[in-house]
Amino acid sequence: GGAVTQAFKSATGLSESNSQLSGVAKYVITEGNADRIFKTLSRMRGAALKIGQIFSYQEDKLIPPILKDALEKAKMEASIMPERQLFQVLRAELGDDWESRFEEFDTNPIAAASIGQVHKAKLKTGQIVAMKIQYPGVSKSIDSDIKNLKLLMKMTRIMPKGLYVDNILKQVRGELKEECDYLLEAEKQRRFREYVLQEFDDVYVPAVFDDL
């Protein structure tokens, strides 16, 4: 009803479009609102950014082009951790003397995605490594993020009929849970490296450094 629509407008800061959509849906697909959605997805990370990535692959006829563009931007970009937060994660994982492990450590990430970011570093041995650093709390917020996103999609009606949103969200939840398990990823990386080195002479697969 009108109270829900007004509450949604006040909470999100979205403006009304000239479309014929009803309820809060008419606040979603203007160009300005699409940009706000992109910025929100990038800040929320985790489930929000992952769902943005998945939805951005849908056909233009299923999702308004302006919204699709915003989701595409969210797929390509992600907000990085502030340096102070980055150092907190490094201290928590590697100890207060974490800097002693490296000859060099670039605090500017070379990549950022839905659950973490990647930093280039140089070990004392001279080896160059890529360090994946997970956003703090992202694994614990998956279920609540998906619940909130489901509510948002229901209220805004941004997804067309015929898309199995519950199935998509279930898939997102499963993928994120697995992606947040860096120990599982490391084991898969080791197995993949072992296989490739046995089968191919001209392919390089990075090694896993368990102490990092």
Side-chain angles (χ1 to χ4, degrees):
V4 172
T5 299
Q6 185 58 41
F8 176 82
K9 178 182 176 184
S10 299
T12 60
L14 298 181
S15 58
E16 185 173 357
S17 72
N18 293 322
S19 71
Q20 298 302 310
L21 295 174
S22 61
V24 294
K26 61 186 176 183
Y27 294 100
V28 175
I29 61 171
T30 67
E31 186 170 357
N33 291 342
D35 185 61
R36 293 185 185 96
I37 290 173
F38 151 68
K39 291 177 180 177
T40 299
L41 288 171
S42 296
R43 286 195 303 270
M44 288 183 68
R45 303 168 179 161
L49 190 52
K50 174 63 70 173
I51 202 72
Q53 292 171 354
I54 291 178
F55 287 164
S56 69
Y57 292 119
Q58 303 301 321
E59 297 180 17
D60 289 341
K61 64 182 180 180
L62 295 181
I63 297 179
I66 291 176
L67 180 57
K68 183 177 176 66
D69 289 344
L71 295 174
E72 180 67 22
K73 288 175 65 180
K75 184 182 69 174
M76 299 301 296
E77 301 181 30
S79 297
I80 65 174
M81 278 186 280
E83 194 170 277
R84 181 178 178 182
Q85 188 180 51
L86 170 65
F87 291 159
Q88 288 176 343
V89 175
L90 288 167
R91 284 194 296 269
E93 294 296 326
L94 302 178
D96 291 337
D97 62 341
W98 67 269
E99 290 178 280
S100 66
R101 297 170 179 254
F102 306 99
E103 188 70 30
E104 299 175 7
F105 183 90
D106 191 348
T107 58
N108 294 314
I110 57 177
S114 55
I115 66 168
Q117 56 195 46
V118 182
H119 291 260
K120 180 180 179 181
K122 184 177 181 180
L123 302 182
K124 294 292 187 179
T125 60
Q127 291 173 293
I128 304 297
V129 297
M131 287 190 61
K132 291 185 66 175
I133 302 177
Q134 193 170 122
Y135 301 132
V138 68
S139 62
K140 297 179 180 179
S141 67
I142 292 174
D143 291 333
S144 61
D145 282 352
I146 289 180
K147 181 179 179 180
N148 291 335
L149 282 168
K150 183 177 180 180
L151 177 62
L152 176 64
M153 287 186 288
K154 180 179 180 180
M155 291 181 66
T156 59
R157 305 173 194 171
I158 62 174
M159 300 312 299
K161 293 181 179 180
L163 283 184
Y164 298 98
V165 174
D166 285 340
N167 290 344
I168 293 175
L169 292 177
K170 182 179 180 181
Q171 175 188 341
V172 168
R173 181 182 182 278
E175 288 184 9
L176 282 171
K177 291 285 188 180
E178 183 171 317
E179 288 180 18
C180 285
D181 189 343
Y182 279 6
L183 293 178
L184 176 62
E185 181 178 347
E187 177 59 30
K188 289 182 177 181
Q189 175 83 356
R190 277 190 288 267
R191 293 204 304 265
F192 180 67
R193 174 182 166 83
E194 182 179 330
Y195 167 77
V196 170
L197 292 179
Q198 289 176 350
E199 299 293 329
F200 305 96
D201 297 326
D202 56 349
V203 178
Y204 175 75
V205 178
V208 174
F209 292 81
D210 291 310
D211 58 336
L212 297 178

